[in-house]
Amino acid sequence: MEIEECIKDAFDDSMQIFIQTEEYKHERDEINDMIISFRTVLSAARQLQFNEIIDAITVADSKLASEAYMHGVVEGIALRDKIMG
């Protein structure tokens, strides 16, 4: 397994503490409430389209978060090596 894959696989474990915070849970609940509220005014066809949009945003944001995490780890290792010698 390549180092990049190992780093990306560690993302979920690394973020577990943050994901379990009350602040994060509250934020997610508020977002879900907004989505549910908005969805009620849409026709069935628009609801499906809205789901596709939300799914696409989720996938794109997940990719960005994963890449940012990987770059942060790699740059952190490089900075550590630079500082430590």
Side-chain angles (χ1 to χ4, degrees), residues 3-57:
I3 186 86
E4 183 176 331
E5 291 175 33
C6 290
I7 292 170
K8 286 183 179 182
D9 286 347
F11 178 82
D12 289 338
D13 290 339
S14 178
M15 297 305 295
Q16 214 37 260
I17 292 172
F18 173 75
I19 291 169
Q20 293 174 352
T21 64
E22 288 305 313
E23 181 180 353
Y24 179 78
K25 289 177 185 178
H26 179 72
E27 204 172 84
R28 294 300 310 161
D29 288 345
E30 285 182 342
I31 292 168
N32 287 332
D33 289 345
M34 287 188 285
I35 290 170
I36 290 167
S37 175
F38 182 73
R39 191 176 273 133
T40 62
V41 299
L42 300 175
S43 67
R46 289 290 190 188
Q47 286 181 13
L48 291 174
Q49 185 180 25
F50 183 62
N51 290 346
E52 290 172 357
I53 293 167
I54 295 295
D55 289 346
I57 291 168

